[in-house]
Amino acid sequence: MSHSVRITGTGSYLPKKVLTNKDLEKFLDTTEEWIFSRSGIRQRHIAAEGEFTSDLAEVASREALKSAGRQASDVDLIVVATTTADQVFPSTACLLQNRLDIHGCPAFDVQAVCAGFLYALDVAYRYVVTGASRCALVVGAETFSRILNWEDRSTCVLFGDGAGAMLLEAADTPGILSSHIHADGAFKDLLCVPVGVSTAYQELLDGRAYTEMQGKEVFRWAVSTLGDAVIEILESNGIHQSEIDWLVPHQANIRIINAIAKRLELSMDQVVVTIDQHGNTSAASVPLAFDVAVKDGRIKSGDKIIFEAFGGGFTWGSMLVQI
Ligand code: COA
């Protein structure tokens, strides 16, 4: 049986430590002004030593459950999007499941880097819409600071740590209207951590698994691909952009966000922007931004929202939701 699927709860968590652009000037050949003008970032949060992705995920998840008025025992599916799992295995989803004292339901990670949360939402949506699940916990959580080369000014200034969570539940009234995810591995070298367990385990052990990016190329592809993705979602739902209340984009660069808003002919007052405060938190960025705008009252019941994200792979996705 097919159900509607609604977002019934939302939560987020940011590590306490804040690293400002001014702080970065102390150990990098960079300036506060360069970082802000090129990316829109003013600060980012950094996980403390001994604070792991599952720690961030747990706080965000408990908050999402609370906001939905649900108990952990109501959850029958856990999907965690992360690029920075605590361990090689078990998955961060299984670690989270154990923290929440949930037993037996499926729990797994998805890995699509910055588009990871859109992938996780897509999977969970399909479980709930088909009736395979009734209450899915979907989390994007990252300690991206751990895979940055803090001597590489062209990448390390852009990212931060954090987590966001949503609860998806079967409902009688519309919620998620459509979900679209894509990938093209032909672009694998433009944005990557080029080592892993199978290829260069020693480099992992030595802490030399770093994010590499050809910034200009990634920027160009992100703008054109996401522009096409938001048009795809409008066309497949037969709606005009004037019906959209909010854009909740992946927070990679304010200039990318501006370009997508322009493509949708949205004013920046209809775009949720957190990049100045969070930096790029990869899979956590969309649920973090959504949670901020729900909590401050901007996003209201009945609003139509587009989520979009783009990341290494390349991977990308978009979703149209009525709140
Ligand atoms: N501080 C000061 N100068 C820096 C710097 C920093 N932190 N990082 C790079 N530079 C320098 C570069 O070395 C370059 O110097 P050069 O011209 O002497 O070689 C100069 O600044 C210009 O760099 P450029 O790459 O032309 O800047 P840009 O306008 O493309 O902006 C990014 C750089 C990284 C902000 C931008 O390309 C970007 O946002 N790319 C996409 C990032 C992204 O979205 N990634 C994640 C997708 S999920």
Side-chain angles (χ1 to χ4, degrees), residues 82-98:
T82 188
T83 319
T84 48
D86 287 29
Q87 303 175 195
V88 173
F89 69 84
S91 67
T92 305
C94 284
L95 303 182
L96 176 65
Q97 184 189 39
N98 182 51

Side-chain angles (χ1 to χ4, degrees), residues 269-289:
D269 294 342
Q270 293 172 278
V271 181
V272 180
V273 175
T274 54
I275 187 161
D276 53 328
Q277 299 299 305
H278 301 171
N280 180 350
T281 57
S282 186
S285 96
V286 167
L288 263 167

Side-chain angles (χ1 to χ4, degrees), residues 166-179:
M166 291 182 191
L167 211 64
L168 298 189
E169 295 190 63
D172 300 325
T173 51
I176 293 173
L177 301 173
S178 78
S179 175

Side-chain angles (χ1 to χ4, degrees), residues 29-30 34 38 114 153-154 157-158 191 213 215-216 218-219 250 252-253 255-256 280 310-311:
D29 180 16
T30 190
W34 190 96
R38 297 298 238 237
C114 297
R153 66 179 185 170
S154 69
V157 303
L158 301 173
L191 176 54
M213 179 172 69
K216 265 198 189 319
V218 173
F219 185 95
H250 172 49
N253 187 313
R255 293 181 293 142
I256 298 175
N280 180 350
F310 179 89

Side-chain angles (χ1 to χ4, degrees), residues 13 42 46 73 104 114 136 141 158 162 206 227 239 250 269 282 290 292 313 323:
Y13 176 74
R42 290 191 187 278
I46 303 291
S73 55
C114 297
L158 301 173
D206 295 345
I239 65 167
H250 172 49
D269 294 342
S282 186
F290 179 74
V292 166
I323 297 304

